[in-house]
Amino acid sequence: MPDLPFRGLIFDLDGTLADSLEDIADAMNVALARFGLPPHTLEQYRLMVGEGVNILTRRAVPQDSAVPVDQVADAFRKAYAEAGYPKTRAFPGIPALLDELSARGVPMAVLSNKRDDFTREVVARRFGQWRFVDVRGERAGVPRKPDPTSALEVAKSLSLPPSELAFVGDTAIDMKTARAAGMTPIGVLWGFRGRDELVTNGARHLLARPEELMALGRPS
């Protein structure tokens, strides 16, 4: 098989590796109900996620509500942790892709806007059989994606220059992160957003299925 057009990979987590939307939606609806606020549908949450818990909560809480957003965010974190991610699973085709990348010795990492401890726990529980050189989520004092700071830190962990890394994700945030960090932006179409958002924000490649990643280096 010809060489891939990158030497290492950074994956987003939610919507890219992990089908986690139901657990996120369930936990936020539990938090909203605690304060007497209306729930949202799964499809509505699809457009809310991707930029961390605080922004998710601001989008979920009605604008005319007097309930403090930070209290709802805390309730979400509590509900999410207590539930234990029962519905979160790898997207179809992801395990086989990770097997193939591991067999070829391609170094991999995960970078998410999910809180760091949640990110590490989900990766450990659902993707623990594969080796990720680095796993990072939202951390105090470090700007979230699309700021490139964390992506560049991960590049150092992988011992590769950004130009030799691909960043794989499902949202505009991920494509902007890749571009800001000087990495190849690869958008996935099985996640929480659509083709137009990914293309508009600079995706260089689009994948309809995980196995298509391994074909990027093949001659057409």
Side-chain angles (χ1 to χ4, degrees), residues 11 13 16 25 33 42 61 69 92 96 152 156 167 186 194 205 211-212:
F11 288 99
L13 181 57
T16 302
L42 197 63
V61 173
V69 170
L152 294 172
K156 291 181 180 179
F167 197 109
I186 299 179
H205 305 284
E211 60 267 28
E212 293 177 3

Side-chain angles (χ1 to χ4, degrees), residues 185-203:
I186 299 179
V188 306
L189 299 176
W190 58 81
F192 300 158
R193 300 289 204 276
R195 178 184 297 269
D196 289 346
E197 175 173 322
L198 295 167
V199 171
T200 299
N201 288 281

